[in-house]
Amino acid sequence: MSGLNASLGYFLACVIFAASVRALLKKWPRFSFILEFASSFMLVGCWLEVQTIVEVGQWAGGLGPDVTATILFVVLLTHGVISGGASGNPSLVVLKFLQLEATTLPILLAVAAQFLGAHLALYAAVYYWSLELTDMHMIKNLMSRECSTSLLASLLQGFFTECVCALIFHLVHLNLRRRSALIRVPLIAVLLTFLSHTARGYTSAFVNPSLAYGLTFHCPGFTFTEYAVVYWLGPITGMILALLLYMGHIPRIFAKNLLYFQKTRFRVPKGDKGEKKKM
């Protein structure tokens, strides 16, 4: 249990950091991209520790799959509550851009902040492991240079897995975005936990480009380009397909509805049609 207590302390530190940044920037909405930095930092930092528990905790700390699944759900639930409007997910930010809900500069700043947060979270986690507070973290510190990749399938299978999981995630997200946070946040946390558990033999279904960058791009086994095809192109493709299925078109690119026909609200009376024919 000492390993789990140390992990809980680490989780708490990440949560406090993200909550503090949100509280400090509440009065300055123009700096909302910094909230994306904090959201991404918290998500990647916590998920790296969950990954450690999955890889090492079962035989170094006696933590089984049920414990890791529960921890991941709690992490995702807490992230949804603490982050608020910040997602820490570049594909969700790009989705706002395609829906004409945001302009180019804020989107670029938000995406850059998300990847910066993921990069710094990796450095913070490596430093935390180097402290070797428990046997689990001592082993993880020894393994940190030779980490295990999350991509356990071919490029085609990996791309298809991330694309399908992203399609499901974004369809659910689009349908829930107008709902209360009390409903939306737990359902999204359950869905992401389920997708991650289901696809753990393929890609782990991150459906988040910056999250994947922080968790697995530094691991040997594939090149940066191959990782990008699976974990960046896959989720973005799934997001575009979800938007097409949900709206029938992509507002930023074209306004014509390609999938759904819109019925006219007003009908021409039959009598008027007859009179026009006589004339």
Side-chain angles (χ1 to χ4, degrees):
M1 288 298 292
S2 61
L4 186 58
N5 290 336
S7 296
L8 291 176
Y10 172 77
F11 291 142
L12 185 60
C14 292
V15 170
I16 291 174
F17 171 76
S20 300
V21 172
R22 183 183 178 187
L24 289 172
L25 296 177
K26 212 169 187 180
K27 297 180 180 179
W28 295 285
R30 68 176 62 185
F31 298 113
S32 59
F33 65 92
I34 302 179
L35 295 177
E36 292 291 349
F37 164 80
S39 177
S40 181
F41 182 92
M42 174 188 168
L43 182 62
V44 175
C46 290
W47 205 308
L48 281 166
E49 184 65 4
V50 172
Q51 222 176 36
T52 300
I53 296 172
V54 171
E55 294 174 355
V56 186
Q58 189 168 358
W59 50 275
L63 304 175
D66 54 338
V67 176
T68 56
T70 303
I71 292 174
L72 179 58
F73 168 73
V74 173
V75 165
L76 292 169
L77 183 64
T78 307
H79 177 264
V81 173
I82 296 298
S83 298
S87 63
N89 188 337
S91 62
L92 287 176
V93 172
V94 174
L95 179 63
K96 290 182 179 180
F97 176 75
L98 294 178
Q99 290 183 292
L100 302 177
E101 295 179 1
T103 55
T104 305
L105 183 58
I107 293 300
L108 292 176
L109 289 174
V111 172
Q114 288 167 342
F115 278 99
L116 179 61
H119 192 72
L120 294 181
L122 177 60
Y123 280 108
V126 170
Y127 173 75
Y128 165 67
W129 296 331
S130 69
L131 299 177
E132 299 184 356
L133 300 177
T134 65
D135 293 340
M136 179 176 69
H137 296 104
M138 179 183 68
I139 297 171
K140 180 62 180 179
N141 186 43
L142 295 174
M143 296 169 55
S144 60
R145 293 183 180 178
E146 297 294 333
C147 61
S148 302
T149 178
S150 298
L151 181 54
L152 304 177
S154 65
L155 288 183
L156 183 60
Q157 289 177 323
F159 173 84
F160 181 75
T161 301
E162 284 293 310
C163 182
V164 171
C165 290
L167 173 64
I168 296 171
F169 166 71
H170 285 288
L171 280 175
V172 173
H173 177 268
L174 285 167
N175 281 280
L176 292 178
R177 62 179 183 161
R178 304 296 183 189
R179 298 293 183 91
S180 169
L182 293 174
I183 299 174
R184 184 182 68 254
V185 173
L187 287 179
I188 292 296
V190 169
L191 176 62
L192 288 175
T193 304
F194 172 76
L195 291 175
S196 178
H197 179 76
T198 304
R200 60 183 176 179
Y202 296 92
T203 64
S204 293
F206 296 133
V207 297
N208 183 333
S210 61
L211 177 64
Y213 170 79
L215 263 60
T216 199
F217 271 49
H218 60 284
C219 297
F222 295 91
T223 64
F224 185 93
T225 304
E226 290 171 333
Y227 277 129
V229 168
V230 174
Y231 289 109
W232 291 0
L233 189 58
I236 293 298
T237 304
M239 178 268 292
I240 293 173
L241 291 175
L243 185 59
L244 278 172
L245 290 174
Y246 181 76
M247 299 186 67
H249 68 113
I250 301 175
R252 177 67 64 176
I253 300 176
F254 47 84
K256 185 179 179 181
N257 199 313
L258 301 178
L259 299 180
Y260 311 115
F261 294 101
Q262 295 181 347
K263 295 181 180 180
T264 56
R265 293 183 179 180
F266 305 102
R267 295 182 180 179
V268 179
K270 293 182 179 179
D272 293 348
K273 287 183 178 181
E275 290 177 3
K276 289 179 180 180
K277 287 182 179 178
K278 289 179 181 179
M279 293 175 65

